[in-house]
């Protein structure tokens, strides 16, 4: 039970502008309360980390596109 502790924990959420991305589920840190995610914590990333994130999100998008093209989702 999370009660209402407002803890920050690793989570998966659909990004809505965080890190410059929209409409993709990704692992983030989030403040969780009794009602769900109350805040998504956006970490300051180095340029190298931003490039790695971009590559990772591109891989997710490519995988989704492939699955859609095969009629699997």
């Amino acid at each position: 039970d999370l009660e209402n502790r407002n803890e920050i924990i690793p989570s998966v959420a659909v990004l809505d502008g965080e890190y410059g991305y929209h409409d993709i589920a990704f692992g983030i840190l989030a403040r969780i309360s009794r009602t769900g995610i109350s805040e998504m914590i956006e970490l300051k990333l180095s340029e190298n980390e931003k490039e790695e994130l971009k590559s990772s999100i591109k891989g997710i998008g490519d995988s989704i596109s492939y699955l859609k093209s095969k009629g699997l989702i």
Side-chain angles (χ1 to χ4, degrees):
D1 180 19
L2 290 173
E3 298 171 359
N4 205 23
R5 294 179 285 187
N6 288 312
E7 292 187 81
I8 296 174
I9 61 172
S11 306
V12 174
V14 176
L15 300 183
D16 185 27
E18 293 77 20
Y19 301 103
Y21 296 95
H22 295 270
D23 300 324
I24 189 157
F26 207 75
I28 60 159
L29 291 176
R31 185 174 309 277
I32 307 293
S33 68
R34 183 177 315 170
T35 59
I37 294 176
S38 61
E39 176 186 10
M40 290 195 267
I41 311 297
E42 190 170 343
L43 302 175
K44 184 175 180 179
L45 302 178
S46 69
E47 289 304 314
N48 186 54
E49 290 168 326
K50 288 177 186 176
E51 285 301 316
E52 290 175 358
L53 177 62
K54 181 179 178 180
S55 176
S56 181
I57 287 180
K58 181 184 181 317
I60 292 168
D62 290 349
S63 295
I64 290 170
S65 293
Y66 174 78
L67 293 171
K68 284 182 177 178
S69 76
K70 299 296 180 184
L72 298 172
I73 59 171

